[in-house]
Amino acid sequence: ALTNATPEAKLAFAVSHSAHHMSKSLGKISGECEAIDHGNIPDTKALKEATIKMFVSSVKLAEELGMNATDICKEVLESIKNK
């Protein structure tokens, strides 16, 4: 479907698709929080899996935006340093 799409349309799809995947991961984390709020023991395996999936989606989106792993790490370190 994106074969003949403009670069802008391809980027818009990538942003939307990444956001949906991150939302899905965040939903799983939120579900775990809800269970914890009701006295359940945290499922750390599920939390780690969702966190990794969200991170992978973030890295894929960054790549679509022209960033590489080095760029991302540099920006993250700067952000942490400035807080």
Side-chain angles (χ1 to χ4, degrees), residues 1-78:
L2 293 174
T3 304
N4 297 320
T6 65
E8 293 82 11
K10 289 179 182 180
L11 180 59
F13 174 81
V15 171
S16 176
H17 194 74
S18 294
H20 290 138
H21 277 282
M22 286 186 259
S23 293
K24 204 169 142 182
S25 296
L26 191 55
K28 290 183 182 191
I29 293 170
S30 294
E32 282 301 313
C33 289
E34 177 69 12
I36 292 165
D37 288 348
H38 290 280
N40 293 324
I41 296 170
D43 182 348
T44 54
K45 182 179 177 185
L47 288 166
K48 287 178 182 180
E49 182 179 304
T51 300
I52 290 166
K53 285 183 177 183
M54 191 164 42
F55 181 73
V56 168
S57 294
S58 297
V59 171
K60 286 182 177 181
L61 175 57
E63 288 174 349
E64 291 290 338
L65 295 170
M67 299 173 73
N68 60 36
T70 302
D71 297 331
I72 296 166
C73 290
K74 180 181 173 190
E75 292 294 329
V76 168
L77 292 172
E78 274 298 312

